[in-house]
mmCIF file of all heavy atoms in Angstrom:
data_model
loop_
_atom_site.group_PDB
_atom_site.id
_atom_site.type_symbol
_atom_site.label_atom_id
_atom_site.label_comp_id
_atom_site.label_asym_id
_atom_site.label_seq_id
_atom_site.Cartn_x
_atom_site.Cartn_y
_atom_site.Cartn_z
ATOM 1 N N ILE A 32 3.547 9.525 17.248
ATOM 2 C CA ILE A 32 2.777 8.407 16.761
ATOM 3 C C ILE A 32 3.066 8.135 15.267
ATOM 4 O O ILE A 32 3.211 6.995 14.821
ATOM 5 C CB ILE A 32 1.268 8.554 17.081
ATOM 6 C CG1 ILE A 32 0.976 8.512 18.514
ATOM 7 C CG2 ILE A 32 0.433 7.505 16.317
ATOM 8 C CD1 ILE A 32 -0.409 8.851 18.932
ATOM 9 N N ALA A 33 3.043 9.258 14.464
ATOM 10 C CA ALA A 33 3.311 9.073 13.041
ATOM 11 C C ALA A 33 4.626 8.433 12.759
ATOM 12 O O ALA A 33 4.720 7.594 11.883
ATOM 13 C CB ALA A 33 3.214 10.384 12.391
ATOM 14 N N LEU A 34 5.686 8.827 13.425
ATOM 15 C CA LEU A 34 6.958 8.241 13.169
ATOM 16 C C LEU A 34 6.971 6.789 13.491
ATOM 17 O O LEU A 34 7.592 5.961 12.771
ATOM 18 C CB LEU A 34 8.051 8.999 13.976
ATOM 19 C CG LEU A 34 8.498 10.378 13.465
ATOM 20 C CD1 LEU A 34 9.345 11.103 14.543
ATOM 21 C CD2 LEU A 34 9.245 10.239 12.195
ATOM 22 N N ARG A 35 6.313 6.410 14.539
ATOM 23 C CA ARG A 35 6.246 4.979 14.881
ATOM 24 C C ARG A 35 5.458 4.229 13.785
ATOM 25 O O ARG A 35 5.814 3.116 13.457
ATOM 26 C CB ARG A 35 5.542 4.761 16.255
ATOM 27 C CG ARG A 35 6.382 5.264 17.463
ATOM 28 C CD ARG A 35 5.516 5.292 18.705
ATOM 29 N NE ARG A 35 6.272 5.374 19.962
ATOM 30 C CZ ARG A 35 6.855 6.449 20.435
ATOM 31 N NH1 ARG A 35 6.725 7.602 19.768
ATOM 32 N NH2 ARG A 35 7.555 6.444 21.568
ATOM 33 N N LEU A 36 4.381 4.765 13.324
ATOM 34 C CA LEU A 36 3.603 4.165 12.252
ATOM 35 C C LEU A 36 4.397 4.080 11.008
ATOM 36 O O LEU A 36 4.308 3.041 10.288
ATOM 37 C CB LEU A 36 2.310 4.865 12.051
ATOM 38 C CG LEU A 36 1.385 4.431 10.943
ATOM 39 C CD1 LEU A 36 0.959 2.992 11.154
ATOM 40 C CD2 LEU A 36 0.150 5.235 10.822
ATOM 41 N N GLU A 37 5.112 5.132 10.674
ATOM 42 C CA GLU A 37 6.029 5.101 9.458
ATOM 43 C C GLU A 37 6.940 3.945 9.506
ATOM 44 O O GLU A 37 7.224 3.237 8.476
ATOM 45 C CB GLU A 37 6.708 6.441 9.350
ATOM 46 C CG GLU A 37 5.714 7.573 8.810
ATOM 47 C CD GLU A 37 6.238 8.925 9.246
ATOM 48 O OE1 GLU A 37 7.358 9.069 9.729
ATOM 49 O OE2 GLU A 37 5.460 9.892 8.993
ATOM 50 N N ARG A 38 7.560 3.746 10.698
ATOM 51 C CA ARG A 38 8.530 2.654 10.777
ATOM 52 C C ARG A 38 7.872 1.306 10.569
ATOM 53 O O ARG A 38 8.435 0.412 9.909
ATOM 54 C CB ARG A 38 9.216 2.681 12.165
ATOM 55 C CG ARG A 38 10.114 3.888 12.421
ATOM 56 C CD ARG A 38 10.867 3.793 13.752
ATOM 57 N NE ARG A 38 11.436 5.096 14.134
ATOM 58 C CZ ARG A 38 10.932 5.924 15.014
ATOM 59 N NH1 ARG A 38 9.806 5.623 15.677
ATOM 60 N NH2 ARG A 38 11.469 7.077 15.250
ATOM 61 N N LEU A 39 6.673 1.097 11.131
ATOM 62 C CA LEU A 39 5.981 -0.182 10.988
ATOM 63 C C LEU A 39 5.624 -0.396 9.540
ATOM 64 O O LEU A 39 5.758 -1.494 9.002
ATOM 65 C CB LEU A 39 4.698 -0.128 11.844
ATOM 66 C CG LEU A 39 4.857 -0.116 13.382
ATOM 67 C CD1 LEU A 39 3.562 0.048 14.078
ATOM 68 C CD2 LEU A 39 5.614 -1.396 13.845
ATOM 69 N N LEU A 40 5.132 0.644 8.903
ATOM 70 C CA LEU A 40 4.761 0.514 7.414
ATOM 71 C C LEU A 40 5.927 0.162 6.566
ATOM 72 O O LEU A 40 5.927 -0.748 5.749
ATOM 73 C CB LEU A 40 4.009 1.791 7.027
ATOM 74 C CG LEU A 40 2.650 2.005 7.508
ATOM 75 C CD1 LEU A 40 2.209 3.471 7.297
ATOM 76 C CD2 LEU A 40 1.607 1.015 6.894
ATOM 77 N N ALA A 41 6.984 0.949 6.775
ATOM 78 C CA ALA A 41 8.206 0.752 5.941
ATOM 79 C C ALA A 41 8.868 -0.584 6.226
ATOM 80 O O ALA A 41 9.295 -1.264 5.242
ATOM 81 C CB ALA A 41 9.176 1.842 6.256
ATOM 82 N N ARG A 42 8.776 -1.079 7.438
ATOM 83 C CA ARG A 42 9.384 -2.269 7.746
ATOM 84 C C ARG A 42 8.754 -3.490 7.124
ATOM 85 O O ARG A 42 9.414 -4.478 6.726
ATOM 86 C CB ARG A 42 9.338 -2.544 9.316
ATOM 87 C CG ARG A 42 10.138 -3.678 9.887
ATOM 88 C CD ARG A 42 10.004 -3.733 11.370
ATOM 89 N NE ARG A 42 10.496 -2.467 11.964
ATOM 90 C CZ ARG A 42 10.056 -1.961 13.128
ATOM 91 N NH1 ARG A 42 9.044 -2.643 13.813
ATOM 92 N NH2 ARG A 42 10.517 -0.827 13.575
ATOM 93 N N ARG A 43 7.511 -3.398 6.800
ATOM 94 C CA ARG A 43 6.829 -4.498 6.151
ATOM 95 C C ARG A 43 6.655 -4.232 4.580
ATOM 96 O O ARG A 43 6.084 -5.010 3.870
ATOM 97 C CB ARG A 43 5.418 -4.753 6.683
ATOM 98 C CG ARG A 43 4.444 -3.650 6.365
ATOM 99 C CD ARG A 43 3.043 -4.017 6.951
ATOM 100 N NE ARG A 43 1.973 -3.225 6.370
ATOM 101 C CZ ARG A 43 0.681 -3.453 6.728
ATOM 102 N NH1 ARG A 43 0.342 -4.337 7.628
ATOM 103 N NH2 ARG A 43 -0.267 -2.658 6.163
ATOM 104 N N GLY A 44 7.259 -3.157 4.123
ATOM 105 C CA GLY A 44 7.393 -2.996 2.659
ATOM 106 C C GLY A 44 6.344 -2.037 2.101
ATOM 107 O O GLY A 44 6.318 -1.902 0.829
ATOM 108 N N ASP A 45 5.528 -1.421 2.881
ATOM 109 C CA ASP A 45 4.619 -0.445 2.350
ATOM 110 C C ASP A 45 5.342 0.840 1.981
ATOM 111 O O ASP A 45 6.401 1.115 2.542
ATOM 112 C CB ASP A 45 3.496 -0.104 3.334
ATOM 113 C CG ASP A 45 2.548 -1.246 3.465
ATOM 114 O OD1 ASP A 45 2.279 -1.978 2.494
ATOM 115 O OD2 ASP A 45 1.989 -1.436 4.570
ATOM 116 N N GLU A 46 4.760 1.623 1.094
ATOM 117 C CA GLU A 46 5.306 2.993 0.729
ATOM 118 C C GLU A 46 4.593 3.941 1.572
ATOM 119 O O GLU A 46 3.344 4.060 1.598
ATOM 120 C CB GLU A 46 5.064 3.266 -0.735
ATOM 121 C CG GLU A 46 5.601 4.514 -1.300
ATOM 122 C CD GLU A 46 5.288 4.693 -2.757
ATOM 123 O OE1 GLU A 46 4.923 3.736 -3.396
ATOM 124 O OE2 GLU A 46 5.454 5.855 -3.248
ATOM 125 N N VAL A 47 5.357 4.863 2.251
ATOM 126 C CA VAL A 47 4.704 5.808 3.203
ATOM 127 C C VAL A 47 5.328 7.178 2.948
ATOM 128 O O VAL A 47 6.528 7.293 2.814
ATOM 129 C CB VAL A 47 4.837 5.308 4.655
ATOM 130 C CG1 VAL A 47 6.276 5.041 5.054
ATOM 131 C CG2 VAL A 47 4.187 6.305 5.607
ATOM 132 N N ALA A 48 4.471 8.176 2.975
ATOM 133 C CA ALA A 48 4.932 9.573 2.942
ATOM 134 C C ALA A 48 4.342 10.296 4.093
ATOM 135 O O ALA A 48 3.187 10.010 4.531
ATOM 136 C CB ALA A 48 4.437 10.197 1.620
#
Side-chain angles (χ1 to χ4, degrees):
I32 291 171
L34 285 168
R35 287 167 166 83
L36 178 58
E37 287 157 5
R38 293 187 194 101
L39 293 175
L40 289 165
R42 191 177 301 152
R43 72 178 194 178
D45 288 326
E46 183 181 345
V47 56

